[in-house]
Amino acid sequence: MKKPWYDYLWLVSALYLILGFFNILFAWLGMICFITPLVISATKGTKSYCNKYCGRGQLFLMLGKRFRLSRNRPMPRWMTSKWFRYGFLTFFMIMFAQMIFTTVLVFKDTRGLSETVKLLWIFKVPWKWAYRIRTVPEWISQFAFGFYSVMLTSTILGLIIMILFKPRSWCVYCPMGTMTHLLCQARLTKYEQN
Amino acid sequence: MAKRLARNNRAICVACGSCVKVCPRKAISIYRGIYACVDESKCIGCGLCVKECPASIIAIDKLEVGA
């Protein structure tokens, strides 16, 4: 049976991560992965982004299952609990807000551009080589560095979790997945009321 | 006679769709982006979804059918 086109979206995810090594401004493309699932869930009330189009999920599945990099063990119970899921979403959103705040400070000229990528919210890695187009306003580049940090950090976390547990373990507490899940629940409540 | 059936814990299912992809009988669907739903008439209890589920919340139940 021929694979549908969306089964190749892992290529897009991999390409995105590679592009960030060459030119940080490509990080802006990641907004597509943030906006699309939310729009789908808010308008259609489904998680078809997670179910079909998520390239990251496909990448983890391929690495874990086909390349046998995953130990394929069940996750600890506490990691599958709602508390952990919502807790991680909250933490992720706080970190995201902090990134936006830094961008605003650069926009206001209160602080200079930091040509670094922050991995796992702690480690500042110099990323100067990917800062190629210097003609754009600095806040645009600052957001790109910050956003790429978010994307790379979550990929690293997802990879660790993929190796330790099941290939798509990241999906259990993926902040985007939790948000779309909440949107679908809200839509269902509305649907049941009508 | 006992029929083997896949059952998931709907309360913690994140509706990621991993089980849907792996089911050879297309017996699983996602209900409104909230949880996975197993069609009991199609499920053969093969257990592929049990292995695939990242949250490990699917189990095979034995259901007594007929007399």
Side-chain angles (χ1 to χ4, degrees):
Chain A
M1 203 173 74
K2 203 177 162 252
K3 272 197 198 177
W5 64 271
Y6 50 76
D7 272 359
Y8 296 95
L9 286 171
W10 60 270
L11 278 166
V12 179
S13 275
L15 187 70
Y16 175 79
L17 293 171
I18 295 165
L19 285 176
F21 277 82
F22 294 99
N23 190 329
I24 200 65
L25 288 181
F26 280 118
W28 276 85
L29 289 174
M31 289 297 280
I32 300 169
C33 315
F34 267 54
I35 295 165
T36 318
L38 294 176
V39 169
I40 294 177
S41 296
T43 56
K44 301 201 165 177
T46 70
K47 274 189 70 161
S48 54
Y49 188 84
C50 300
N51 303 161
K52 290 179 181 167
Y53 312 118
C54 179
R56 175 176 298 207
Q58 291 171 13
L59 201 62
F60 290 151
L61 186 66
M62 190 171 66
L63 292 173
K65 205 174 173 185
R66 200 184 297 169
F67 293 99
R68 294 167 186 256
L69 290 175
S70 174
R71 292 195 318 153
N72 247 318
R73 302 273 168 87
M75 285 172 110
R77 283 290 97 184
W78 59 268
M79 276 180 102
T80 59
S81 72
K82 278 187 180 174
W83 283 107
F84 183 71
R85 222 186 302 157
Y86 294 137
F88 187 72
L89 173 67
T90 313
F91 170 73
F92 200 86
M93 290 314 277
I94 292 170
M95 290 303 168
F96 196 82
Q98 198 190 34
M99 186 271 280
I100 299 287
F101 184 64
T102 311
T103 310
V104 172
L105 288 183
V106 171
F107 175 76
K108 284 185 167 174
D109 252 346
T110 325
R111 147 186 186 159
L113 172 72
S114 164
E115 294 157 30
T116 53
V117 161
K118 216 178 199 179
L119 291 183
L120 300 165
W121 305 285
I122 305 167
F123 309 105
K124 271 192 175 179
V125 183
W127 215 266
K128 210 174 176 176
W129 71 82
Y131 182 44
R132 287 169 194 263
I133 303 172
R134 290 161 191 256
T135 45
V136 294
E138 281 195 335
W139 69 269
I140 291 186
S141 300
Q142 181 60 59
F143 180 82
F145 278 115
F147 200 76
Y148 191 68
S149 305
V150 170
M151 296 302 262
L152 206 56
T153 295
S154 49
T155 307
I156 293 170
L157 268 185
L159 284 173
I160 297 170
I161 278 322
M162 175 274 286
I163 294 167
L164 289 178
F165 309 113
K166 302 244 176 152
R168 277 185 66 174
S169 290
W170 168 255
C171 302
V172 176
Y173 63 97
C174 165
M176 284 316 297
T178 311
M179 277 195 274
T180 52
H181 204 225
L182 286 170
L183 277 173
C184 289
Q185 278 169 335
R187 271 193 67 108
L188 182 73
T189 317
K190 212 171 147 191
Y191 169 80
E192 280 171 345
Q193 277 168 354
N194 291 332
Chain B
M1 204 183 89
K3 182 176 164 41
R4 284 161 58 86
L5 276 179
R7 285 257 168 89
N8 65 327
N9 184 342
R10 289 179 177 181
I12 35 176
C13 179
V14 292
C16 68
S18 299
C19 50
V20 179
K21 273 192 180 172
V22 85
C23 179
R25 286 293 182 103
K26 291 193 169 60
I28 315 178
S29 56
I30 301 292
Y31 178 70
R32 291 184 169 265
I34 298 173
Y35 50 74
C37 231
V38 183
D39 183 339
E40 294 190 356
S41 64
K42 289 183 188 167
C43 179
I44 50 166
C46 68
L48 281 176
C49 54
V50 178
K51 275 190 193 163
E52 198 78 5
C53 177
S56 305
I57 51 158
I58 314 179
I60 297 291
D61 266 4
K62 279 183 182 149
L63 201 77
E64 286 299 325
V65 282

Coordinates of all heavy atoms in Angstrom, one line a residue, chain A residues 7 45-47 50-51 58 61 65 72 74-75 77 80 82 85 166 168-169 171-172 181 184-185 188 191, chain B residues 9 11-18 21-22 26 30-35 50-57:
Chain A
D7 N 3.0 11.0 5.7 CA 3.9 10.0 6.4 C 5.4 10.4 6.2 O 6.3 9.8 6.7 CB 3.7 8.6 5.9 CG 2.6 7.9 6.8 OD1 2.1 8.6 7.7 OD2 2.2 6.8 6.6
G45 N -11.9 20.5 16.1 CA -12.0 19.7 17.3 C -11.4 18.3 17.2 O -12.0 17.3 17.8
T46 N -10.3 18.2 16.5 CA -9.7 16.9 16.4 C -8.2 17.0 16.7 O -7.7 18.2 16.7 CB -9.8 16.2 15.0 OG1 -9.0 17.0 14.1 CG2 -11.2 16.2 14.5
K47 N -7.5 15.9 16.9 CA -6.1 16.0 17.1 C -5.4 15.4 15.9 O -4.4 14.7 16.0 CB -5.7 15.2 18.4 CG -5.8 16.0 19.6 CD -5.2 15.4 20.8 CE -3.7 15.3 20.8 NZ -3.1 15.0 22.1
C50 N -1.5 15.6 15.6 CA -0.8 14.6 16.3 C -0.9 13.2 15.6 O 0.0 12.5 15.5 CB -1.3 14.4 17.7 SG -1.2 15.8 18.8
N51 N -2.2 12.9 15.2 CA -2.5 11.6 14.6 C -1.8 11.4 13.3 O -1.5 10.3 12.9 CB -4.0 11.5 14.5 CG -4.7 11.6 15.8 OD1 -5.9 11.8 15.9 ND2 -4.0 11.5 16.9
Q58 N 6.7 11.3 14.1 CA 7.2 10.3 13.1 C 8.7 10.0 13.2 O 9.1 8.9 13.0 CB 6.9 10.8 11.7 CG 5.4 10.8 11.3 CD 5.1 11.5 10.0 OE1 6.0 11.8 9.2 NE2 3.8 11.8 9.8
L61 N 9.3 7.9 16.2 CA 8.9 6.5 15.9 C 9.9 5.8 15.0 O 10.2 4.6 15.2 CB 7.5 6.6 15.2 CG 6.8 5.2 15.0 CD1 6.4 4.6 16.3 CD2 5.5 5.4 14.1
K65 N 11.7 2.8 16.6 CA 11.2 1.5 16.1 C 12.0 0.9 15.0 O 12.5 -0.2 15.1 CB 9.7 1.7 15.7 CG 8.9 0.4 15.8 CD 7.5 0.7 15.4 CE 6.6 -0.5 15.4 NZ 5.2 -0.2 14.9
N72 N 12.0 0.5 24.5 CA 10.6 0.0 24.5 C 10.1 -0.5 25.9 O 9.4 -1.5 25.9 CB 10.5 -1.2 23.5 CG 9.6 -0.8 22.4 OD1 8.6 -0.1 22.5 ND2 10.1 -1.1 21.2
P74 N 7.8 0.5 29.4 CA 6.7 1.4 29.8 C 7.3 2.6 30.6 O 8.2 2.5 31.3 CB 5.8 0.5 30.7 CG 6.4 -0.8 30.6 CD 7.7 -0.8 30.0
M75 N 6.6 3.7 30.5 CA 7.0 4.9 31.2 C 6.6 4.7 32.7 O 5.6 4.0 32.9 CB 6.2 6.1 30.7 CG 6.7 6.7 29.4 SD 5.5 7.9 29.0 CE 6.5 9.4 29.2
R77 N 4.6 5.4 36.0 CA 3.1 5.8 36.1 C 3.0 7.3 36.3 O 2.2 7.9 35.7 CB 2.5 5.1 37.3 CG 2.1 3.6 37.0 CD 0.9 3.5 36.1 NE 1.4 3.2 34.7 CZ 0.7 3.1 33.7 NH1 -0.6 3.2 33.7 NH2 1.2 2.9 32.5
T80 N 2.8 9.5 33.3 CA 1.6 9.5 32.4 C 0.4 10.2 33.1 O -0.6 10.3 32.5 CB 1.2 8.1 32.0 OG1 1.0 7.3 33.2 CG2 2.3 7.4 31.3
K82 N -2.0 13.1 34.8 CA -2.4 14.4 34.3 C -1.6 15.5 35.0 O -1.3 16.5 34.4 CB -3.9 14.6 34.6 CG -4.8 13.9 33.5 CD -6.2 14.3 33.7 CE -7.0 13.6 32.6 NZ -8.4 13.7 32.7
R85 N 1.5 16.0 33.2 CA 1.3 16.6 31.9 C 1.0 18.1 32.0 O 1.6 18.9 31.3 CB 0.1 15.9 31.2 CG 0.3 15.6 29.8 CD -1.0 15.0 29.2 NE -1.4 13.8 29.8 CZ -2.7 13.4 29.8 NH1 -3.6 14.1 29.2 NH2 -3.0 12.3 30.3
K166 N 9.2 4.3 25.4 CA 8.7 3.9 24.1 C 9.0 5.0 23.0 O 9.2 6.1 23.4 CB 7.2 3.7 24.1 CG 6.7 2.7 25.2 CD 6.1 1.5 24.5 CE 5.8 0.5 25.6 NZ 4.6 -0.3 25.2
R168 N 7.4 6.9 21.0 CA 6.7 8.1 21.0 C 6.3 8.6 22.4 O 5.3 9.3 22.5 CB 5.4 8.0 20.1 CG 5.8 8.3 18.6 CD 4.5 8.3 17.7 NE 3.6 9.4 18.0 CZ 2.5 9.7 17.3 NH1 2.2 8.9 16.2 NH2 1.8 10.7 17.6
S169 N 7.1 8.3 23.4 CA 6.8 8.7 24.7 C 6.7 10.2 24.9 O 5.9 10.7 25.7 CB 7.9 8.2 25.7 OG 7.8 6.8 25.8
C171 N 5.1 12.2 23.1 CA 3.7 12.5 22.8 C 2.8 12.6 24.1 O 1.8 13.2 24.1 CB 3.1 11.6 21.8 SG 4.0 11.5 20.3
V172 N 3.2 11.8 25.1 CA 2.4 11.7 26.3 C 2.3 13.1 27.0 O 1.3 13.5 27.5 CB 2.9 10.6 27.2 CG1 2.1 10.6 28.5 CG2 2.8 9.2 26.6
H181 N -5.3 18.8 23.2 CA -6.2 18.0 23.9 C -7.2 18.8 24.7 O -8.4 18.5 24.7 CB -5.4 17.1 24.9 CG -6.0 15.8 25.3 ND1 -6.0 15.4 26.6 CD2 -6.7 14.9 24.6 CE1 -6.7 14.2 26.6 NE2 -7.1 13.9 25.4
C184 N -9.7 20.3 22.4 CA -10.7 19.3 22.0 C -11.7 19.0 23.1 O -12.9 18.9 22.8 CB -10.0 18.0 21.6 SG -9.1 18.1 20.0
Q185 N -11.2 19.0 24.3 CA -12.1 18.8 25.5 C -13.1 19.9 25.6 O -14.3 19.7 25.8 CB -11.4 18.6 26.8 CG -10.8 17.2 26.9 CD -9.8 17.1 28.0 OE1 -9.2 18.0 28.4 NE2 -9.7 15.9 28.5
L188 N -15.7 19.6 23.0 CA -16.7 18.5 23.3 C -17.7 19.0 24.3 O -18.9 18.7 24.1 CB -15.9 17.3 23.8 CG -16.8 16.1 24.0 CD1 -17.3 15.4 22.7 CD2 -16.2 15.0 24.9
Y191 N -20.1 21.0 22.5 CA -20.9 20.1 21.6 C -22.0 19.4 22.4 O -23.1 19.3 22.0 CB -20.0 19.1 20.9 CG -20.6 18.0 20.2 CD1 -21.1 18.2 18.9 CD2 -20.7 16.7 20.7 CE1 -21.7 17.2 18.2 CE2 -21.2 15.7 20.0 CZ -21.7 15.9 18.8 OH -22.3 14.9 18.1
Chain B
N9 N -7.3 2.9 28.8 CA -7.7 3.7 29.9 C -8.0 5.1 29.4 O -7.1 5.9 29.1 CB -6.6 3.8 31.0 CG -7.1 4.6 32.2 OD1 -8.1 5.3 32.2 ND2 -6.4 4.4 33.3
A11 N -9.3 7.7 30.6 CA -9.1 8.9 31.4 C -7.7 9.5 31.3 O -7.5 10.7 31.4 CB -9.3 8.5 32.9
I12 N -6.7 8.6 30.9 CA -5.4 9.2 30.7 C -4.9 9.1 29.3 O -3.8 9.5 29.0 CB -4.3 8.5 31.7 CG1 -4.6 7.1 31.9 CG2 -4.2 9.3 32.9 CD1 -3.5 6.4 32.8
C13 N -5.7 8.6 28.4 CA -5.3 8.6 27.0 C -5.1 10.0 26.4 O -5.9 10.9 26.7 CB -6.4 7.8 26.2 SG -6.1 7.7 24.4
V14 N -4.0 10.2 25.7 CA -3.8 11.5 25.2 C -4.2 11.7 23.7 O -4.0 12.7 23.1 CB -2.3 12.0 25.3 CG1 -1.9 12.2 26.8 CG2 -1.3 11.0 24.7
A15 N -4.7 10.6 23.1 CA -5.2 10.6 21.7 C -4.1 10.9 20.7 O -4.3 11.6 19.8 CB -6.4 11.6 21.6
C16 N -2.9 10.4 21.0 CA -1.8 10.6 20.1 C -2.0 9.9 18.7 O -1.4 10.3 17.7 CB -0.5 10.2 20.7 SG -0.2 8.5 21.0
G17 N -2.7 8.8 18.7 CA -2.9 8.1 17.5 C -1.9 7.0 17.1 O -2.0 6.5 16.0
S18 N -1.0 6.7 18.0 CA 0.0 5.7 17.7 C -0.7 4.3 17.5 O -0.3 3.6 16.6 CB 0.9 5.5 18.9 OG 1.6 6.7 19.1
K21 N -2.5 3.9 14.0 CA -1.6 3.7 12.9 C -1.2 2.2 12.8 O -1.0 1.6 11.8 CB -0.3 4.5 13.1 CG -0.4 5.9 12.5 CD 0.9 6.5 12.4 CE 0.8 7.9 11.8 NZ 2.1 8.6 11.8
V22 N -1.0 1.6 14.0 CA -0.5 0.2 14.0 C -1.5 -0.9 13.9 O -1.2 -2.0 13.6 CB 0.4 0.1 15.3 CG1 -0.4 -0.3 16.5 CG2 1.6 -0.9 15.1
K26 N -7.9 -1.8 11.5 CA -8.5 -0.5 11.5 C -9.6 -0.4 12.5 O -10.7 0.1 12.2 CB -9.0 -0.1 10.1 CG -7.9 0.2 9.1 CD -8.4 0.9 7.9 CE -7.3 1.4 7.0 NZ -6.4 0.3 6.5
I30 N -9.9 7.7 16.8 CA -9.8 8.7 17.9 C -11.1 9.5 18.0 O -11.6 10.0 17.0 CB -8.7 9.7 17.6 CG1 -7.3 9.0 17.5 CG2 -8.6 10.8 18.7 CD1 -6.8 8.4 18.7
Y31 N -11.7 9.4 19.2 CA -13.0 10.1 19.4 C -12.8 11.6 19.7 O -12.2 11.9 20.8 CB -13.8 9.4 20.5 CG -15.1 10.2 20.8 CD1 -16.1 10.1 19.9 CD2 -15.3 10.9 22.0 CE1 -17.3 10.8 20.2 CE2 -16.4 11.6 22.3 CZ -17.5 11.5 21.3 OH -18.6 12.2 21.5
R32 N -13.1 12.4 18.8 CA -13.1 13.9 18.9 C -11.8 14.4 19.6 O -11.8 15.4 20.4 CB -14.3 14.4 19.7 CG -15.5 14.2 18.9 CD -16.7 14.8 19.6 NE -17.9 14.8 18.7 CZ -18.2 15.9 18.0 NH1 -17.5 17.0 18.1 NH2 -19.2 15.8 17.1
G33 N -10.7 13.8 19.2 CA -9.4 14.3 19.7 C -9.2 14.1 21.2 O -8.3 14.7 21.8
I34 N -10.0 13.2 21.8 CA -9.9 13.1 23.3 C -9.3 11.7 23.7 O -8.5 11.6 24.6 CB -11.2 13.4 23.9 CG1 -11.5 14.9 23.6 CG2 -11.2 13.2 25.4 CD1 -12.8 15.3 24.0
Y35 N -9.8 10.6 23.1 CA -9.3 9.3 23.5 C -9.5 8.3 22.3 O -10.3 8.6 21.4 CB -9.9 8.8 24.8 CG -11.4 8.8 24.8 CD1 -12.2 7.9 24.0 CD2 -12.1 9.7 25.6 CE1 -13.6 7.9 24.1 CE2 -13.5 9.7 25.7 CZ -14.2 8.8 24.9 OH -15.6 8.8 24.9
V50 N -1.0 -2.5 22.2 CA -0.5 -2.6 23.5 C 1.0 -2.3 23.5 O 1.5 -1.5 24.4 CB -0.8 -4.0 24.2 CG1 -0.2 -4.1 25.6 CG2 -2.2 -4.3 24.1
K51 N 1.7 -2.9 22.6 CA 3.1 -2.6 22.5 C 3.5 -1.2 22.1 O 4.4 -0.6 22.5 CB 3.7 -3.6 21.4 CG 4.1 -4.9 21.9 CD 4.9 -5.6 20.9 CE 5.0 -7.1 21.1 NZ 5.4 -7.9 20.0
E52 N 2.6 -0.6 21.2 CA 2.9 0.7 20.6 C 2.6 1.8 21.6 O 3.3 2.8 21.6 CB 2.0 0.8 19.3 CG 2.5 1.9 18.4 CD 3.7 1.5 17.6 OE1 4.2 0.3 17.7 OE2 4.2 2.4 16.9
C53 N 1.5 1.7 22.4 CA 1.0 2.8 23.2 C 2.2 3.4 24.0 O 2.7 2.8 24.9 CB -0.1 2.4 24.1 SG -0.7 3.7 25.2
P54 N 2.5 4.7 23.8 CA 3.6 5.3 24.5 C 3.3 5.5 26.0 O 4.2 5.5 26.8 CB 3.8 6.7 23.9 CG 2.5 7.0 23.1 CD 1.9 5.6 22.8
A55 N 2.0 5.5 26.4 CA 1.7 5.7 27.8 C 1.4 4.3 28.5 O 1.2 4.2 29.7 CB 0.5 6.6 28.0
S56 N 1.5 3.3 27.7 CA 1.2 1.9 28.1 C -0.1 1.8 28.9 O -0.1 1.3 30.0 CB 2.4 1.4 29.0 OG 3.6 1.5 28.3
I57 N -1.1 2.3 28.3 CA -2.4 2.2 29.0 C -3.4 1.4 28.2 O -4.6 1.4 28.5 CB -3.0 3.7 29.2 CG1 -3.0 4.4 27.8 CG2 -2.3 4.4 30.2 CD1 -4.0 5.6 27.8

